[in-house]
Amino acid sequence: MKIIHLTYPVKENILNSKVVLALGFFDGVHLGHQRLITRAREIANQKNLPVIVMTFDRHPKEIYADKKNFKYLETLDEKADKMAKLGVDYLAVMPFTKDFSQISAQKFVDNVIVKLNADTVVAGFDYTYGPKNIANMDNLPNFAKGRFNIVVMPKQVFDGKKIGSTEIRQAIKDGKMELAYELMGHHYVMSGIVGHGKRNGHKLGFPTANLEWANHKVIPKIGVYATKTKVNGKWHESMTSVGYNVTIGQNKRIYIESNIFDFDEDIYGKPIEIKWYKYTRGEIKFAGLDELREQLEKDQDEIKAYFAK
């Protein structure tokens, strides 16, 4: 899969052939997104055309709703990795700027969709490309003027709940990692490098990898989790703490620290990924380090038993 960085208006003939164009922001590439992209891939296979997914470099709410501290389920690299696995040929990334947010619906169609050489556009029922009362999927045929086909994907639900990025973000913030998994179709992942922590885990006999993550990612609820941690290309069972290290008196910043089971290597500065499975308990302030060590032993036993099932 190739990543294309677009500018507005889109230059003509980025690709020589017609394409099947999937539209959306696709944060989390959840089950609804996967069904949409799979549908685009099916149409592309029937017509022998490539699939382009077009997304933006930031969530539109950052601009039109002035949400400067918007939290994401994925980095662009994480999103691209999932797109490639779904058989996408090109991921096209458009900068979402103040000027871009103010173009008309007709200009979006003429200068983005048509310039990308769309044979067929596939988008969700609630996709918008401007003011939602005008630039919606019901009105897209009026702006398309017969120049491309349109496939609208219906609302996707799980257990009566809408499958949406907003709902998944909330589930993660609430520590509901199993619900997030059911809505995403995969476990939530955070990636980054191992930074230097305070080495308190080493003193307790529970050395941890201190994750330095992209600061715009959604952070799970404070507490302890059953996780798997990927180091050097291999996944290991682990327990991960999200918290302020209250027992040790460090309460100014959040730490994400993974204790990797049966693992003893120096991995400072190395890339790791943490896959989140289950919230097991909240953060507790203990009377001292002995009490904390005792609890960590219980946590480890509980989480090993969880994975053994």
Side-chain angles (χ1 to χ4, degrees):
M1 187 192 74
K2 185 178 178 185
I3 297 178
I4 302 169
H5 291 278
L6 302 173
T7 53
Y8 179 83
V10 173
K11 296 181 179 72
E12 292 194 72
N13 302 321
I14 286 178
L15 292 175
N16 294 325
S17 75
K18 286 282 190 181
V19 304
V20 175
L21 177 63
L23 296 173
F25 188 67
F26 300 105
D27 191 25
V29 193
H30 57 59
L31 283 175
H33 297 146
Q34 290 166 39
R35 289 167 190 166
L36 190 155
I37 293 164
T38 299
R39 183 73 187 109
R41 183 72 264 170
E42 288 167 355
I43 295 165
N45 289 346
Q46 289 163 9
K47 298 190 173 195
N48 198 25
L49 296 175
V51 172
I52 291 189
V53 168
M54 196 195 87
T55 187
F56 300 112
D57 68 339
R58 71 198 70 196
H59 199 286
K61 283 183 181 176
E62 279 201 35
I63 302 298
Y64 72 74
D66 200 32
K67 288 200 172 181
K68 300 291 187 218
N69 201 27
F70 192 89
K71 299 299 182 188
Y72 293 85
L73 295 169
E74 279 168 340
T75 63
L76 181 61
D77 286 344
E78 289 165 352
K79 185 184 290 189
D81 184 53
K82 293 194 179 92
M83 294 292 181
K85 287 172 181 167
L86 288 166
V88 172
D89 298 297
Y90 300 91
L91 179 60
V93 184
M94 175 69 80
F96 199 94
T97 63
K98 188 76 173 172
D99 287 346
F100 182 79
S101 74
Q102 293 170 346
I103 66 170
S104 69
Q106 190 64 65
K107 283 187 175 176
F108 179 83
V109 171
D110 295 344
N111 293 327
V112 179
I113 294 178
V114 172
K115 292 276 186 72
L116 284 171
N117 225 2
D119 169 272
T120 304
V121 166
V122 185
F125 73 101
D126 55 353
Y127 183 77
T128 56
Y129 41 98
K132 62 184 178 183
N133 59 329
I134 300 166
N136 53 48
M137 293 307 289
D138 288 340
N139 288 335
L140 186 55
N142 301 330
F143 301 117
K145 299 173 183 171
R147 289 173 289 177
F148 49 85
N149 300 314
I150 299 165
V151 174
V152 181
M153 295 295 288
K155 182 178 179 179
Q156 304 291 313
V157 296
F158 170 82
D159 198 20
K161 299 183 187 72
K162 181 190 173 190
I163 300 173
S165 301
T166 302
E167 289 74 17
I168 294 164
R169 288 185 204 104
Q170 193 57 52
I172 292 166
K173 289 175 188 174
D174 293 342
K176 297 176 181 175
M177 309 315 287
E178 291 152 309
L179 174 59
Y181 170 78
E182 287 168 339
L183 296 175
M184 293 174 88
H186 51 78
H187 294 283
Y188 182 55
V189 172
M190 294 182 76
S191 57
I193 62 164
V194 178
H196 285 276
K198 300 289 185 181
R199 295 186 67 83
N200 293 313
H202 285 264
K203 297 168 195 168
L204 290 163
F206 290 88
T208 58
N210 182 41
L211 180 71
E212 293 184 358
W213 69 95
N215 63 8
H216 58 264
K217 286 271 287 189
V218 177
I219 300 172
K221 175 182 172 179
I222 300 294
V224 175
Y225 293 81
T227 58
K228 288 189 179 179
T229 302
K230 189 179 187 181
V231 186
N232 298 328
K234 185 181 175 187
W235 289 102
H236 304 265
E237 292 176 5
S238 57
M239 62 180 181
T240 299
S241 162
V242 180
Y244 295 96
N245 289 342
V246 289
T247 300
I248 301 159
Q250 296 162 358
N251 57 6
K252 290 184 178 169
R253 58 166 277 206
I254 289 176
Y255 292 84
I256 296 178
E257 298 172 295
S258 179
N259 170 247
I260 306 169
F261 300 158
D262 307 313
F263 184 86
D264 184 22
E265 291 178 33
D266 183 357
I267 55 172
Y268 284 118
K270 288 196 173 182
I272 62 167
E273 294 176 40
I274 299 174
K275 195 184 284 184
W276 303 79
Y277 283 75
K278 187 176 188 292
Y279 175 85
T280 57
R281 68 167 173 87
E283 186 172 51
I284 303 167
K285 185 167 185 176
F286 295 97
L289 295 183
D290 288 343
E291 253 185 54
L292 174 56
R293 186 184 297 110
E294 198 175 298
Q295 180 61 52
L296 291 173
E297 287 168 359
K298 289 178 185 172
D299 292 335
Q300 189 180 73
D301 289 345
E302 181 186 344
I303 289 167
K304 281 187 173 181
Y306 165 80
F307 281 123
K309 289 178 188 174

